Amino acid sequence: MFPCSRDTARNLALVIHEFTTNAVKHGALSVHSGSVQITWTTNGSNIQMKWKEIGGPPVKDPNRTGFGSNLVDLSVRAMGGTHVDSFSESGFECDLSFTNGARS
C-alpha cells in the first residue's frame, strides 16, 4: 500500500466508485460470469492503475460524455494524472497514471 494525501485518496475513490458502478450496471459485473481485474504499479511517487473488465457483455464507445465521464476526467486531472479508456468487444479497460500528492 502507498501513503497518499487526502485529496488523492478522495479522487481515486471517486474514480473507482464510478468504474464499479458502471461495471455493475452495464459491464462485466452485470453478469454472473464477469469479473474485474485491477493491477497497480508504483515507481516512487508515480502510480499506474489498470482496470480491465472480463467476461461481460460487449461494450461500445459511448456516443456522449456524461456526468460519470466528466467526474473521472476531473478527478484524474486533480491528481495530476492521465487516463486512456478503451471500449472493446472484450470489455471496458482504463489505464490510469498519476503522481501521488501532485496537487494535494
Side-chain angles (χ1 to χ4, degrees):
M1 193 66 177
F2 55 89
C4 64
S5 70
R6 262 184 291 178
D7 289 342
T8 298
R10 180 187 61 241
N11 286 306
L12 187 56
L14 286 169
V15 170
I16 292 171
H17 182 270
E18 181 61 26
F19 287 169
T20 302
T21 300
N22 286 340
V24 168
K25 286 182 178 179
H26 314 288
L29 299 180
S30 69
V31 296
H32 180 70
S33 61
S35 64
V36 173
Q37 179 182 49
I38 303 169
T39 55
W40 297 90
T41 307
T42 60
N43 180 7
S45 63
N46 296 318
I47 301 165
Q48 295 178 323
M49 182 189 93
K50 182 172 181 90
W51 175 280
K52 182 176 182 177
E53 297 186 25
I54 303 163
V59 295
K60 292 186 254 182
D61 213 346
N63 56 4
R64 66 178 183 85
T65 302
F67 175 79
S69 297
N70 290 328
L71 177 69
V72 168
D73 279 340
L74 289 171
S75 297
V76 171
R77 278 193 274 143
M79 293 187 294
T82 60
H83 69 101
V84 176
D85 300 336
S86 171
F87 298 88
S88 67
E89 284 288 317
S90 59
F92 172 73
E93 293 183 30
C94 180
D95 290 310
L96 174 86
S97 299
F98 63 96
T99 302
N100 184 21
R103 295 169 77 185
S104 302

